[in-house]
Amino acid sequence: MAESDIPSETGLRPGAGIPSEADGRIPTVVADDLHIVYRVYGASARGNATSALRRILRRESPASRVREVHAVRGVTFVAYRGEAIGLIGSNGSGKSTLLRAIAGLLPAERGRVYTDGQPSLLGVNAALMNDLTGERNVILGGLAMGMTREQIRSRYQQIVDFSGINEKGDFISLPMRTYSSGMQARLRFSIAAAKDHDVLMIDEALATGDKSFRRRSEQRIRELRSEAGTVFLVSHNNKTIRDTCDRVLWLEKGELLMDGPADQVLKAYEEETGK
Amino acid sequence: MSLAELAARHGLSVSGARPSLGEYARQLWSRRHFILAFSQAKLMAQYGQARLGQLWQVVTPLLNACVYFFIFGLVLKGRGGMGNSEYIPFLVTGVFVFTFTQNSVMSGVKAISGNLGLVRALHFPRASLPISFSLQQLQQLLFSMSVLVIVMLGFQHWPTWTWFAVVPALLLQLLFNTGLALVMARLGSNTPDLAQLMPFILRTWMYASGVMFPLREKLDGSDVPGWVGDIMQANPAAVYMDLMRYALMHGSYHDTVPTSTWLWALGWAVVFGTGGFVYFWKAEEQYGRG
C-alpha cells in the first residue's frame, strides 16, 4: 500500500502520536527515530576454501564480506501506561527486533528508546537446558529472569501445577529432553509467566500446548496485562490482537506504516493482505 | 516538545544504556545466585548423556595426565632429574592447573558469541556469563583435585602445613582466569574467528610454561637469552603451576620455587581481575549485536 492512501487527518500517520503539552497521560516507552542493524558474517561467502583464498589474495578486506540487514528503519512512537499495543506485519517486517530493542537487548544503530523501568520479554527458552531435569530448569529459568531464590521457592509448586507436567506422573524430575515438544513448550511458558513485569512484551507465546493449556495461558496473559503498566503483543492472529489490544502498530520492511486504534489499523491491514 | 524532553520529564531512562561501574558491580552481585546456578547447570549438562555420568569429571583429567606421562615421561624423557615418585605428581599438578586456565579462556571466547540467544532474550549483566564459565571450570578443577590428592598420597607426598597454601593459590588463579575470560569474551564477541585461533595459542602457551618439564632447569641448561627466560618464568601459567606444586609436593622441585612467585601470582590476579572487568564493562551495551 502506498502511504498516500492513508488519510493524514485521522492521525494514523506514523509519528502522529507525539503528544502535546496538555496531554495528561503518562508515557512508559518512547521510541525516537530508532534504527536497528544486524551484521551477518560470511553471508556472501561462497563457502569453499579456494574462493576464500582468492578473496584474501585480491585483498578484499574481511569487512566487505559483512552483510548488513537494516531491520528497523526510523520507528517513532510513544506508548502510555495502561495501553495494550499489538504489533502486526508480515514475516520479517521487524516486529520481534523492535521488541528486543525496546527491551534494551539489541543495541540501536541510531536513535533511542526511553523506558520506564526495565521492560521484559516474555520468554526463557534460551536459559533452559535440555539435559537438566524440569525441576532444575524451573529454578534456573527463574534466576535467569531475575527472580530471587525465595520468590522461586514460593512459586515453584504454582509453576509446576500450571504447566500440568505432573498430571501424567512424576515427569518434573526427568531431563527436559525426554519431554514431548508440547510439554516443553508448556513448561517454558509456565516459567516465563511466573514473574510480574512493568512493561511486558509477548512474542506469539499464545500458540503453545493443547486446548485446555491455551485457555489457561490466555487467562494468565490477561492477569499479567492487568498487573503490567504497558503490554506489547506480537501475533499473526488478528483475532488475538483485536481481543487484547486497543492500539496497533503496523510494521512493514522495518518502517512504521500505521499507528492507531486497533479496529482501524486491522481493517486497513486486512484489506491489504486480503484476509 | 521533543521526544527526548518528554522522556526526561517523565523520568524515563535510555533502554539498554550502560550502567556506571559501581552500579554494574552491584547488579552483578545481585545476580550471584544465577551465576552460580548457571555454572552448576552447565557442569551437570556436560556429561548428562554419558553412561558413566559425572564420573567423567574425574576420569577426563586423569586420562589426560596418563597421555602426557606416556609421551613426555616415558617416550621423550623430558622429566629432568626427577624420578617417578616426583615426576608423576609434578606432571599431574601441571596438567590440572593449566587445564583450569586453558578451559576458562576457551569458554570465555564463546561466552557471549555462543550464548547470543540468551543475551538477546533476557536482561542481566553480561559479565555473568564469563564469570559463570570460570566458576564452572573451578568446580571442574575441584573434582580433579580429589584425583590429585590420591596421586600425592600414592607417591608418598604426605600432607604438610604447606597444603593450606592451595586455597590462596587457587583463589588468585581464579581471579586471574576470570579476568582473562572477561577480556576474551569481549574480543570473541566481535571476532568469532578467535575461537579457531585460540587452541594454537593455548598449546604454544602450554609448551612454553613447563607443564611437563621443569622450566627453570631446562632454561639453565639452554642458550635462551636471560630476559626470555625471565618472561617465561614470570608468565601466569608457570606461576600458578609452581605455587600448586610448591604447596602439595616435597622434594627437590619444592625447594627451587622462589618466594617471589607469590608476588607474581598476586600481581597477575589483581591486574587481570580488575582490568578484565573494566574492559568487559566498557562494551556492555554492545553485546547482543552479531
Side-chain angles (χ1 to χ4, degrees), chain A residues 19-80:
Chain A
S20 62
E21 186 70 32
D23 206 321
R25 296 181 295 171
I26 305 163
T28 51
V29 175
V30 176
D32 185 1
D33 191 30
L34 183 68
H35 289 261
I36 304 288
V37 176
Y38 286 103
R39 295 205 167 74
V40 186
Y41 291 92
S44 61
R46 251 175 255 105
N48 61 42
T50 38
S51 68
L53 190 65
R54 197 160 54 235
R55 273 196 306 278
I56 292 169
L57 291 176
R58 283 186 195 155
R59 297 190 186 187
E60 285 177 36
S61 76
S64 69
R65 293 196 297 118
V66 177
R67 275 209 10 221
E68 296 197 343
V69 180
H70 204 149
V72 172
R73 305 160 185 258
V75 168
T76 299
F77 69 90
V78 179
Y80 296 92

Side-chain angles (χ1 to χ4, degrees), chain A residues 39 102-103 105 113 115 118 144, chain B residues 13 15 31 120 123 289-290:
Chain A
R39 295 205 167 74
I102 294 170
L105 296 164
V113 182
T115 57
Q118 181 59 65
Chain B
S13 52
S15 190
R31 285 304 189 112
R120 285 187 185 159
H123 236 284
R289 167 179 288 162

Side-chain angles (χ1 to χ4, degrees), chain B residues 17 40 46 50 53 66 138 155 170 175 198 236 257 286:
Chain B
Q40 284 166 343
Q46 200 175 1
C66 287
L138 177 70
F155 290 96
L170 270 188
L175 191 57
M198 281 322 285
V257 177
Q286 295 299 321

